[in-house]
């Protein structure tokens, strides 16, 4: 009896501590927000990582913003061009300064954002801010340099297209969307990339439109104070002029019938299948996205019944994974699978479809839901091991909402999700009419080849 009382006491203590942890802020770091008259926003996050500062510049411009026919891929292209030099610093001079400072610098582009980031000792922070301010306000490149980089982007596209998964993703987007700019990937349509060397004048227009303070948020994380961050931003970005351009992003019409496509692959490869449904956009006010985010690992993750069946027990699939990013506009909820034997592609597709149907009818267990919610919460927190990791985590939220406060709002929604909410959203979004299926497989050998 005494042992039972001890066990119950420990259980109650654990439950109390868990409940208290749920009441604490999900993002534990204090931050400040400074808004400048030109539209620029500065977010400062002091942490206990000594001497290091992660400097992120987040431009709310990605392939989503490429609305003009024939002009896809320019957000990604400018990720390249921003390293070609500015009025005060050539590319070689910039590289030398970065090398001397021991700074780690890079960039990436996605559908909704372009992010430039550097990790530097705080003693060299001002020089990094100066470098970034010059290229953001005074980028300078010749026609010859522009053309060279455009050809490099074409080479990158060709390299990516040699990967069957990249081509599968490209065809999925092009098949599933009609009007919205999510129809093309971040790289852009091939015909537009091939024409980039001829579009020097348009490149200047793109830069002038989007590299403006109202579309940019500066984030500094690490051994930094609000006062110092504000001082540096005012000094180097204070004269940056607001722009006048606003894009009218086309709205996608509802899908009214299932769609499918097949990609014949010219060389030997394992076949792929992807099943996708039109899903919701990111929201910190509605339950739709959060409910499906929780369902994703339950239904399709490595602990799911489907994974155990197809990968571990039957061994018909060597890789299966869900993809459902946080996006400004409604995105696809997609399940990708690589199948070991071409004859099993239809079977695997049907198993995936059956899983979507299952969770449109059945309730997930409360235990499963609680465990999944807990893993996601603590798994995310365990990643915050450095100033750079914290800044990188913030970047996607800043691109969507421009404030870390959205993280807390989203966390509260996650805590409120019930099994009934998950089933309701599965029923709402996993309908045959909003489904797209794409397969990829090696072309059969021709009679001549035989």
């Amino acid at each position: 009896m005494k042992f039972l009382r001890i066990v119950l006491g420990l259980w109650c203590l654990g439950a109390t501590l868990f409940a208290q942890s749920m009441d604490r802020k999900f993002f534990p770091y204090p931050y400040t927000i400074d808004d400048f008259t030109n539209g620029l926003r500065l977010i400062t996050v002091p942490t206990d990582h000594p001497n290091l500062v992660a400097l992120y510049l987040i431009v709310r411009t990605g392939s989503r913003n490429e609305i003009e026919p024939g002009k896809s891929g320019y957000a990604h292209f400018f990720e390249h061009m921003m390293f070609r030099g500015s009025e005060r610093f050539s590319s070689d001079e910039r590289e030398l300064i970065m090398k001397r400072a021991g700074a780690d610098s890079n960039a990436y582009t996605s559908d909704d954002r372009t992010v430039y980031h550097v990790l530097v000792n705080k003693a060299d922070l001002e020089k990094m801010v100066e470098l970034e301010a010059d290229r953001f306000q005074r980028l300078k490149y010749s026609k010859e340099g522009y053309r060279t980089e455009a050809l490099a982007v074409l080479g990158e596209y060709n390299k990516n297209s040699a990967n069957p998964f990249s081509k599968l993703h490209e065809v999925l987007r092009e098949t599933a969307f009609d009007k919205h700019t999510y129809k093309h990937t971040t790289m852009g349509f091939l015909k537009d990339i091939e024409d980039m060397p001829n579009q020097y004048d348009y490149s200047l227009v793109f830069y002038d439109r989007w590299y403006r303070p109202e579309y940019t948020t500066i984030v500094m994380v690490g051994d930094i104070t609000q006062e110092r961050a504000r001082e540096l931003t005012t000094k180097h970005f204070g004269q940056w002029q607001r722009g006048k351009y606003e894009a009218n992003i086309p709205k996608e019409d509802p899908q009214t019938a299932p769609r499918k496509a097949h990609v014949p692959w010219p060389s030997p490869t394992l076949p792929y299948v992807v099943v996708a449904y039109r899903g919701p956009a990111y929201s910190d006010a509605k339950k739709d996205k959060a409910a499906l985010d929780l369902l994703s690992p339950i239904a399709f993750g490595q602990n799911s019944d489907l994974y155990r069946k197809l990968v571990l027990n039957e061994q018909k699939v060597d890789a299966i994974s869900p993809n459902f990013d946080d996006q400004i506009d409604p995105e696809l909820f997609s399940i990708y699978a690589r199948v070991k034997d071409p004859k099993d592609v239809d079977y695997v597709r049907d198993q995936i479809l059956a899983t979507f149907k299952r969770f449109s009818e059945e309730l997930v267990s409360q235990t499963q839901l609680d465990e999944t919610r807990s893993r996601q919460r603590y798994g995310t927190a365990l990643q915050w091991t450095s100033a750079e990791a914290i800044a990188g985590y913030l970047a996607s939220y800043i691109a969507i909402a421009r404030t870390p406060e959205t993280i807390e709002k989203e966390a509260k929604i996650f805590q409120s999700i019930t099994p009934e909410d998950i089933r309701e959203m599965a029923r709402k979004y996993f309908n045959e009419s909003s489904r797209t299926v794409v397969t990829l497989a090696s072309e059969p050998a021709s009679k001549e080849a035989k």
Side-chain angles (χ1 to χ4, degrees), residues 12-28:
C12 291
L13 176 60
T16 301
L17 292 174
F18 179 79
Q20 289 174 348
S21 70
M22 294 299 102
D23 291 335
R24 291 199 300 266
K25 291 187 68 175
F26 175 65
F27 184 72

Side-chain angles (χ1 to χ4, degrees), residues 185-198:
T185 65
T186 303
M187 287 294 298
F189 293 123
L190 175 58
K191 62 181 184 297
D192 298 344
I193 299 172
E194 290 174 333
D195 191 46
M196 275 182 177
N198 307 315

Side-chain angles (χ1 to χ4, degrees), residues 236-252:
H236 295 286
F237 287 92
Q239 301 304 312
W240 196 8
Q241 296 297 306
R242 179 191 287 267
K244 298 179 180 179
Y245 182 77
E246 292 185 15
N248 183 18
I249 309 298
K251 186 177 180 180
E252 185 72 19

Side-chain angles (χ1 to χ4, degrees), residues 45 55 71 78 87 108 145 155 234 305 344 355 388 399 409 411:
V45 187
L55 171 64
K71 301 296 190 294
F78 263 91
E87 287 188 5
Y108 70 88
T234 301
D305 292 341
D344 292 325
T355 302
E388 189 173 30
K409 293 179 180 179

Side-chain angles (χ1 to χ4, degrees), residues 53-57 79 82-83 91 94-99 101-108 115-121 127-129 131-132 135-136 388:
V53 179
L55 171 64
Y56 272 58
L57 288 92
E79 177 199 325
M82 289 288 280
F83 290 88
S91 59
R94 173 186 170 84
E95 185 176 346
L96 181 60
I97 292 170
M98 302 290 287
K99 185 177 181 179
D104 183 14
S105 176
N106 215 323
Y108 70 88
V115 179
Y116 301 87
H117 52 94
V118 57
L119 181 67
V120 65
N121 189 291
K127 195 62 180 181
M128 298 303 110
V129 174
L131 287 172
E132 296 291 40
R135 66 173 176 170
F136 268 70
E388 189 173 30

